Amino acid sequence: MKLMTHYSRTKLYGLLCTWLCFCLLPVRAQDIASNSNSLIVDARTEVICKSMTQSVERETRTVTILNKKGLDAAHFFCSCDMFRSLQKFSGELINASGESVRKIKKSELVKSEYSSSLTTDDYLYYYECNYPSFPFTVKYVWEVKCNNGLIGYSTFMPQMDFSQGVEKASYRIELPAGLQCRYRALNTDGKNIQVKESTGPEGQQILEVSAAQLPPIVSEPFGPSFAELFPRVYFAPSAFSFDKKQGDMSTWQKYGEWQYSLLKDRDLLTEPFKSKLHELTANCTTDREKVKAVYDYLAKTTRYVSIQLGIGGLQPITATDVCRTGFGDCKGLSNYARAMLNELGIPSTYTVISTTNERLLPDFSSANQMNHVILQVPLPQDTLWLECTNPQLPFGYVHQDIAGHDALLIQPTYPDSLNTQQITARISLSPTAEAKIEVQEVSRLFQYENEAGIVYLEPNKQKDRIRSDINLSQADILRLHISECKEANPSITFDYTASSNQYGNKTGNRLFIPANVFRKGFSVPHITKRTHPIHVNFGYSDADSIRIQLPEGYTIEGLPRPADLKSKFGNFHSSVRVNDNEIWIVHNLFMRKGIYAPEEYTAFLDFRKQVAEQYNGKIILKKKPN
């Protein structure tokens, strides 16, 4: 599905600058700039809608780039397609002394080329702005004309990145009498942002937004997403016309009806293919088996290609075209699967969802909140959610980009306790701290998804990936076997052997051996001051069982202490016991998905520190006297 960035543009595409040098900024501006990498001094957007199908957008962006980290804010981007065209452009670069050092012409903009793997009418104008010293300022002025494609309007988003302050920003949209624009403000509480609505002399609807003195938003570990923090105001029409197709999106129900109308007569199949489909499923005894046969056939015979030509950004290509060409995007492939299931007498629902927005706005319908299509298949004993664009995913598996996200029907997700990873390891040590390691690692559901990409790597790259997860400076993967279970509750298993010339450290007559080298990725953030809530985006369970065989001639001098930690963020249990000449270590970690208050950050860090101390614990072995 076409991501409507050019209608709800987050002002990602126009980047800023100022006529004032940094040293001459007012005191308040300097306060904002002191914690910023870039500073928006003035950003203005004016949208003049001439009719339901035509508008002109005029933009001015002024930004001061304070250091190298803020350099991305200096670049210019403008997305266009068959509905939007860049009419005017000018730019100017200013140094720290306030002197104009160069003018930027429209002819200097780079226009992106079409990708060989993408069927789209989108193209991009961009300009990469660089200057050798900081601070510097850049100003862009441009105008975009829109024709026959007004399904939404630009979003007012004064801040476009972390660590970016705003002096002032404004937005104005004007619609002729008889047309209605709705708006919805998000994350504006406590900020100097006002929305004003008025009526013009000829009955025009006028909406104006202003923002001033916005301090930078700092990115924090385990912090909320960009969408949950940054202030913005959405705008959307009630009645609209897109590529000569009129619709109403005043409610989700009405917008859904319009979307459904785009599917009319696009699920037809040829008679020869219908016969083939029935032959394909002749031996299936249940509807679930038939659905799996269709999904497997889709995976073997089609590939993903984005189709974004005109209304094709919202309307799927026909099922017969997908069948004939063997390719389609999320809309086309989902519609093709829907057509095949319909022929087999199995109902399914074409479902629009977002891979980026976990929540939709229930009281504000707009086209730009969703960017993806999947297929829902309600069976008597189960409801399947089919990701038709990625045949690498197991049948019926709900991947992380959509699990728990709002759709038009329900919220598919999995309990935290099912996202498991189990590691069983046996380590044989030599008196010189060399080691032979045998490991089995089994990952399920979301943890499977994090690991599954390894099966598409070359064998040497696979070993590199495994090696990178082991907390040893010297380790060689000798043998690796990967087995994948691609079912609705998928799993992936790594069986491997490894060797290390330095498993721990030898000092005098002692060996210092790591308790667990398999949790290298468990991190403890260094930032202690917290502003935003803590976000743990998905819960999981890790279980490690490690057996370390003692080297000949050594005895145990010290072992890590067992732990039993309980908190609202999760639980951790560890135990250490000695059996004959082996040390058995068990680590069990359960992390809960959740959102926690900023004042709980110290407790959150303390919990992670205690877990990390257990993972990083040391076993001390002492050489026996001769």
Side-chain angles (χ1 to χ4, degrees), residues 506-528:
K506 188 175 187 299
T507 303
N509 60 352
R510 288 178 172 83
L511 294 179
F512 295 84
I513 304 301
N516 190 336
V517 297
F518 305 104
R519 295 299 170 189
K520 181 180 178 180
F522 189 83
S523 63
V524 180
H526 297 296
I527 297 175
T528 55

PDB file of all heavy atoms in Angstrom, residues 506-528:
ATOM      1  N   LYS A 506      43.775 -16.387  32.436  1.00  0.00           N
ATOM      2  CA  LYS A 506      44.635 -17.148  33.335  1.00  0.00           C
ATOM      3  C   LYS A 506      45.605 -16.177  33.989  1.00  0.00           C
ATOM      4  O   LYS A 506      46.319 -15.437  33.323  1.00  0.00           O
ATOM      5  CB  LYS A 506      45.417 -18.217  32.570  1.00  0.00           C
ATOM      6  CG  LYS A 506      46.197 -19.180  33.446  1.00  0.00           C
ATOM      7  CD  LYS A 506      46.829 -20.268  32.603  1.00  0.00           C
ATOM      8  CE  LYS A 506      47.470 -21.340  33.465  1.00  0.00           C
ATOM      9  NZ  LYS A 506      48.551 -20.808  34.326  1.00  0.00           N
ATOM     10  N   THR A 507      45.557 -16.134  35.327  1.00  0.00           N
ATOM     11  CA  THR A 507      46.451 -15.270  36.086  1.00  0.00           C
ATOM     12  C   THR A 507      47.139 -16.116  37.162  1.00  0.00           C
ATOM     13  O   THR A 507      46.479 -16.583  38.098  1.00  0.00           O
ATOM     14  CB  THR A 507      45.677 -14.112  36.747  1.00  0.00           C
ATOM     15  OG1 THR A 507      44.988 -13.381  35.738  1.00  0.00           O
ATOM     16  CG2 THR A 507      46.626 -13.178  37.479  1.00  0.00           C
ATOM     17  N   GLY A 508      48.439 -16.303  37.011  1.00  0.00           N
ATOM     18  CA  GLY A 508      49.164 -17.137  37.960  1.00  0.00           C
ATOM     19  C   GLY A 508      48.616 -18.545  37.955  1.00  0.00           C
ATOM     20  O   GLY A 508      48.541 -19.198  36.909  1.00  0.00           O
ATOM     21  N   ASN A 509      48.184 -19.002  39.125  1.00  0.00           N
ATOM     22  CA  ASN A 509      47.651 -20.357  39.202  1.00  0.00           C
ATOM     23  C   ASN A 509      46.116 -20.367  39.249  1.00  0.00           C
ATOM     24  O   ASN A 509      45.501 -21.312  39.725  1.00  0.00           O
ATOM     25  CB  ASN A 509      48.209 -21.078  40.432  1.00  0.00           C
ATOM     26  CG  ASN A 509      47.842 -20.367  41.729  1.00  0.00           C
ATOM     27  OD1 ASN A 509      47.299 -19.264  41.696  1.00  0.00           O
ATOM     28  ND2 ASN A 509      48.140 -21.001  42.855  1.00  0.00           N
ATOM     29  N   ARG A 510      45.501 -19.286  38.741  1.00  0.00           N
ATOM     30  CA  ARG A 510      44.042 -19.184  38.738  1.00  0.00           C
ATOM     31  C   ARG A 510      43.505 -18.951  37.326  1.00  0.00           C
ATOM     32  O   ARG A 510      44.140 -18.285  36.502  1.00  0.00           O
ATOM     33  CB  ARG A 510      43.560 -18.054  39.648  1.00  0.00           C
ATOM     34  CG  ARG A 510      43.718 -18.356  41.140  1.00  0.00           C
ATOM     35  CD  ARG A 510      43.278 -17.171  41.986  1.00  0.00           C
ATOM     36  NE  ARG A 510      43.256 -17.509  43.400  1.00  0.00           N
ATOM     37  CZ  ARG A 510      44.325 -17.492  44.196  1.00  0.00           C
ATOM     38  NH1 ARG A 510      45.507 -17.164  43.680  1.00  0.00           N
ATOM     39  NH2 ARG A 510      44.209 -17.814  45.471  1.00  0.00           N
ATOM     40  N   LEU A 511      42.315 -19.521  37.093  1.00  0.00           N
ATOM     41  CA  LEU A 511      41.557 -19.253  35.866  1.00  0.00           C
ATOM     42  C   LEU A 511      40.271 -18.509  36.239  1.00  0.00           C
ATOM     43  O   LEU A 511      39.561 -18.924  37.166  1.00  0.00           O
ATOM     44  CB  LEU A 511      41.179 -20.567  35.157  1.00  0.00           C
ATOM     45  CG  LEU A 511      42.308 -21.429  34.585  1.00  0.00           C
ATOM     46  CD1 LEU A 511      41.711 -22.684  33.940  1.00  0.00           C
ATOM     47  CD2 LEU A 511      43.091 -20.636  33.553  1.00  0.00           C
ATOM     48  N   PHE A 512      40.002 -17.424  35.525  1.00  0.00           N
ATOM     49  CA  PHE A 512      38.771 -16.649  35.726  1.00  0.00           C
ATOM     50  C   PHE A 512      37.872 -16.917  34.513  1.00  0.00           C
ATOM     51  O   PHE A 512      38.143 -16.448  33.403  1.00  0.00           O
ATOM     52  CB  PHE A 512      39.083 -15.160  35.863  1.00  0.00           C
ATOM     53  CG  PHE A 512      39.895 -14.836  37.090  1.00  0.00           C
ATOM     54  CD1 PHE A 512      41.283 -14.950  37.084  1.00  0.00           C
ATOM     55  CD2 PHE A 512      39.269 -14.442  38.269  1.00  0.00           C
ATOM     56  CE1 PHE A 512      42.031 -14.654  38.216  1.00  0.00           C
ATOM     57  CE2 PHE A 512      40.014 -14.156  39.405  1.00  0.00           C
ATOM     58  CZ  PHE A 512      41.405 -14.262  39.385  1.00  0.00           C
ATOM     59  N   ILE A 513      36.810 -17.689  34.745  1.00  0.00           N
ATOM     60  CA  ILE A 513      35.979 -18.219  33.662  1.00  0.00           C
ATOM     61  C   ILE A 513      34.634 -17.482  33.636  1.00  0.00           C
ATOM     62  O   ILE A 513      33.984 -17.340  34.680  1.00  0.00           O
ATOM     63  CB  ILE A 513      35.735 -19.730  33.863  1.00  0.00           C
ATOM     64  CG1 ILE A 513      37.065 -20.474  33.977  1.00  0.00           C
ATOM     65  CG2 ILE A 513      34.874 -20.296  32.752  1.00  0.00           C
ATOM     66  CD1 ILE A 513      37.954 -20.323  32.763  1.00  0.00           C
ATOM     67  N   PRO A 514      34.166 -17.024  32.460  1.00  0.00           N
ATOM     68  CA  PRO A 514      32.849 -16.378  32.380  1.00  0.00           C
ATOM     69  C   PRO A 514      31.727 -17.377  32.614  1.00  0.00           C
ATOM     70  O   PRO A 514      31.783 -18.519  32.144  1.00  0.00           O
ATOM     71  CB  PRO A 514      32.816 -15.811  30.958  1.00  0.00           C
ATOM     72  CG  PRO A 514      33.770 -16.655  30.177  1.00  0.00           C
ATOM     73  CD  PRO A 514      34.854 -17.030  31.146  1.00  0.00           C
ATOM     74  N   ALA A 515      30.707 -16.935  33.338  1.00  0.00           N
ATOM     75  CA  ALA A 515      29.581 -17.821  33.633  1.00  0.00           C
ATOM     76  C   ALA A 515      28.674 -18.015  32.417  1.00  0.00           C
ATOM     77  O   ALA A 515      28.143 -19.106  32.199  1.00  0.00           O
ATOM     78  CB  ALA A 515      28.767 -17.256  34.804  1.00  0.00           C
ATOM     79  N   ASN A 516      28.479 -16.958  31.612  1.00  0.00           N
ATOM     80  CA  ASN A 516      27.542 -17.047  30.480  1.00  0.00           C
ATOM     81  C   ASN A 516      28.035 -16.128  29.366  1.00  0.00           C
ATOM     82  O   ASN A 516      28.006 -14.899  29.495  1.00  0.00           O
ATOM     83  CB  ASN A 516      26.136 -16.623  30.923  1.00  0.00           C
ATOM     84  CG  ASN A 516      25.083 -16.915  29.871  1.00  0.00           C
ATOM     85  OD1 ASN A 516      25.369 -17.020  28.682  1.00  0.00           O
ATOM     86  ND2 ASN A 516      23.836 -17.030  30.306  1.00  0.00           N
ATOM     87  N   VAL A 517      28.495 -16.709  28.268  1.00  0.00           N
ATOM     88  CA  VAL A 517      29.013 -15.915  27.150  1.00  0.00           C
ATOM     89  C   VAL A 517      27.966 -15.727  26.058  1.00  0.00           C
ATOM     90  O   VAL A 517      28.258 -15.172  25.002  1.00  0.00           O
ATOM     91  CB  VAL A 517      30.265 -16.575  26.538  1.00  0.00           C
ATOM     92  CG1 VAL A 517      31.388 -16.640  27.548  1.00  0.00           C
ATOM     93  CG2 VAL A 517      29.930 -17.950  25.959  1.00  0.00           C
ATOM     94  N   PHE A 518      26.719 -16.166  26.311  1.00  0.00           N
ATOM     95  CA  PHE A 518      25.713 -16.190  25.243  1.00  0.00           C
ATOM     96  C   PHE A 518      24.711 -15.036  25.322  1.00  0.00           C
ATOM     97  O   PHE A 518      23.775 -14.985  24.540  1.00  0.00           O
ATOM     98  CB  PHE A 518      24.964 -17.527  25.280  1.00  0.00           C
ATOM     99  CG  PHE A 518      25.869 -18.711  25.199  1.00  0.00           C
ATOM    100  CD1 PHE A 518      26.167 -19.469  26.328  1.00  0.00           C
ATOM    101  CD2 PHE A 518      26.472 -19.057  23.997  1.00  0.00           C
ATOM    102  CE1 PHE A 518      27.011 -20.555  26.263  1.00  0.00           C
ATOM    103  CE2 PHE A 518      27.330 -20.143  23.918  1.00  0.00           C
ATOM    104  CZ  PHE A 518      27.606 -20.895  25.056  1.00  0.00           C
ATOM    105  N   ARG A 519      24.901 -14.104  26.254  1.00  0.00           N
ATOM    106  CA  ARG A 519      23.983 -12.975  26.387  1.00  0.00           C
ATOM    107  C   ARG A 519      24.713 -11.653  26.188  1.00  0.00           C
ATOM    108  O   ARG A 519      24.518 -10.688  26.914  1.00  0.00           O
ATOM    109  CB  ARG A 519      23.281 -13.015  27.750  1.00  0.00           C
ATOM    110  CG  ARG A 519      22.374 -14.213  27.912  1.00  0.00           C
ATOM    111  CD  ARG A 519      21.260 -14.211  26.879  1.00  0.00           C
ATOM    112  NE  ARG A 519      20.509 -15.479  26.859  1.00  0.00           N
ATOM    113  CZ  ARG A 519      19.623 -15.783  25.945  1.00  0.00           C
ATOM    114  NH1 ARG A 519      19.369 -14.935  24.955  1.00  0.00           N
ATOM    115  NH2 ARG A 519      18.993 -16.931  25.972  1.00  0.00           N
ATOM    116  N   LYS A 520      25.524 -11.636  25.165  1.00  0.00           N
ATOM    117  CA  LYS A 520      26.302 -10.433  24.843  1.00  0.00           C
ATOM    118  C   LYS A 520      25.395  -9.233  24.556  1.00  0.00           C
ATOM    119  O   LYS A 520      25.737  -8.093  24.847  1.00  0.00           O
ATOM    120  CB  LYS A 520      27.182 -10.725  23.625  1.00  0.00           C
ATOM    121  CG  LYS A 520      28.063  -9.581  23.179  1.00  0.00           C
ATOM    122  CD  LYS A 520      28.882 -10.001  21.970  1.00  0.00           C
ATOM    123  CE  LYS A 520      29.757  -8.876  21.453  1.00  0.00           C
ATOM    124  NZ  LYS A 520      30.550  -9.298  20.262  1.00  0.00           N
ATOM    125  N   GLY A 521      24.229  -9.497  23.973  1.00  0.00           N
ATOM    126  CA  GLY A 521      23.361  -8.397  23.556  1.00  0.00           C
ATOM    127  C   GLY A 521      22.540  -7.780  24.666  1.00  0.00           C
ATOM    128  O   GLY A 521      21.828  -6.799  24.422  1.00  0.00           O
ATOM    129  N   PHE A 522      22.602  -8.329  25.887  1.00  0.00           N
ATOM    130  CA  PHE A 522      21.807  -7.757  26.973  1.00  0.00           C
ATOM    131  C   PHE A 522      22.484  -6.477  27.453  1.00  0.00           C
ATOM    132  O   PHE A 522      23.588  -6.505  27.982  1.00  0.00           O
ATOM    133  CB  PHE A 522      21.673  -8.754  28.120  1.00  0.00           C
ATOM    134  CG  PHE A 522      20.689  -8.308  29.177  1.00  0.00           C
ATOM    135  CD1 PHE A 522      19.339  -8.539  29.009  1.00  0.00           C
ATOM    136  CD2 PHE A 522      21.116  -7.638  30.310  1.00  0.00           C
ATOM    137  CE1 PHE A 522      18.426  -8.126  29.972  1.00  0.00           C
ATOM    138  CE2 PHE A 522      20.222  -7.224  31.270  1.00  0.00           C
ATOM    139  CZ  PHE A 522      18.866  -7.462  31.104  1.00  0.00           C
ATOM    140  N   SER A 523      21.819  -5.358  27.259  1.00  0.00           N
ATOM    141  CA  SER A 523      22.460  -4.067  27.506  1.00  0.00           C
ATOM    142  C   SER A 523      21.886  -3.377  28.739  1.00  0.00           C
ATOM    143  O   SER A 523      20.743  -3.604  29.131  1.00  0.00           O
ATOM    144  CB  SER A 523      22.276  -3.143  26.290  1.00  0.00           C
ATOM    145  OG  SER A 523      20.906  -2.862  26.090  1.00  0.00           O
ATOM    146  N   VAL A 524      22.702  -2.515  29.313  1.00  0.00           N
ATOM    147  CA  VAL A 524      22.281  -1.637  30.402  1.00  0.00           C
ATOM    148  C   VAL A 524      22.583  -0.207  29.961  1.00  0.00           C
ATOM    149  O   VAL A 524      23.749   0.175  29.849  1.00  0.00           O
ATOM    150  CB  VAL A 524      23.022  -1.956  31.718  1.00  0.00           C
ATOM    151  CG1 VAL A 524      22.552  -1.031  32.822  1.00  0.00           C
ATOM    152  CG2 VAL A 524      22.802  -3.404  32.110  1.00  0.00           C
ATOM    153  N   PRO A 525      21.573   0.594  29.672  1.00  0.00           N
ATOM    154  CA  PRO A 525      21.820   1.965  29.209  1.00  0.00           C
ATOM    155  C   PRO A 525      22.611   2.770  30.229  1.00  0.00           C
ATOM    156  O   PRO A 525      22.503   2.563  31.442  1.00  0.00           O
ATOM    157  CB  PRO A 525      20.409   2.534  29.034  1.00  0.00           C
ATOM    158  CG  PRO A 525      19.528   1.341  28.891  1.00  0.00           C
ATOM    159  CD  PRO A 525      20.152   0.269  29.731  1.00  0.00           C
ATOM    160  N   HIS A 526      23.428   3.687  29.718  1.00  0.00           N
ATOM    161  CA  HIS A 526      24.257   4.512  30.593  1.00  0.00           C
ATOM    162  C   HIS A 526      23.533   5.768  31.060  1.00  0.00           C
ATOM    163  O   HIS A 526      23.909   6.366  32.061  1.00  0.00           O
ATOM    164  CB  HIS A 526      25.545   4.917  29.872  1.00  0.00           C
ATOM    165  CG  HIS A 526      26.415   3.746  29.509  1.00  0.00           C
ATOM    166  ND1 HIS A 526      26.989   2.930  30.455  1.00  0.00           N
ATOM    167  CD2 HIS A 526      26.789   3.241  28.306  1.00  0.00           C
ATOM    168  CE1 HIS A 526      27.696   1.979  29.863  1.00  0.00           C
ATOM    169  NE2 HIS A 526      27.584   2.136  28.550  1.00  0.00           N
ATOM    170  N   ILE A 527      22.488   6.186  30.334  1.00  0.00           N
ATOM    171  CA  ILE A 527      21.762   7.397  30.706  1.00  0.00           C
ATOM    172  C   ILE A 527      20.937   7.119  31.953  1.00  0.00           C
ATOM    173  O   ILE A 527      20.192   6.145  32.029  1.00  0.00           O
ATOM    174  CB  ILE A 527      20.849   7.855  29.553  1.00  0.00           C
ATOM    175  CG1 ILE A 527      21.690   8.212  28.332  1.00  0.00           C
ATOM    176  CG2 ILE A 527      19.991   9.042  29.978  1.00  0.00           C
ATOM    177  CD1 ILE A 527      20.889   8.571  27.105  1.00  0.00           C
ATOM    178  N   THR A 528      21.058   7.974  32.951  1.00  0.00           N
ATOM    179  CA  THR A 528      20.330   7.777  34.204  1.00  0.00           C
ATOM    180  C   THR A 528      19.187   8.776  34.365  1.00  0.00           C
ATOM    181  O   THR A 528      18.206   8.502  35.044  1.00  0.00           O
ATOM    182  CB  THR A 528      21.280   7.905  35.404  1.00  0.00           C
ATOM    183  OG1 THR A 528      21.951   9.169  35.334  1.00  0.00           O
ATOM    184  CG2 THR A 528      22.308   6.787  35.393  1.00  0.00           C
TER     185      THR A 528
END
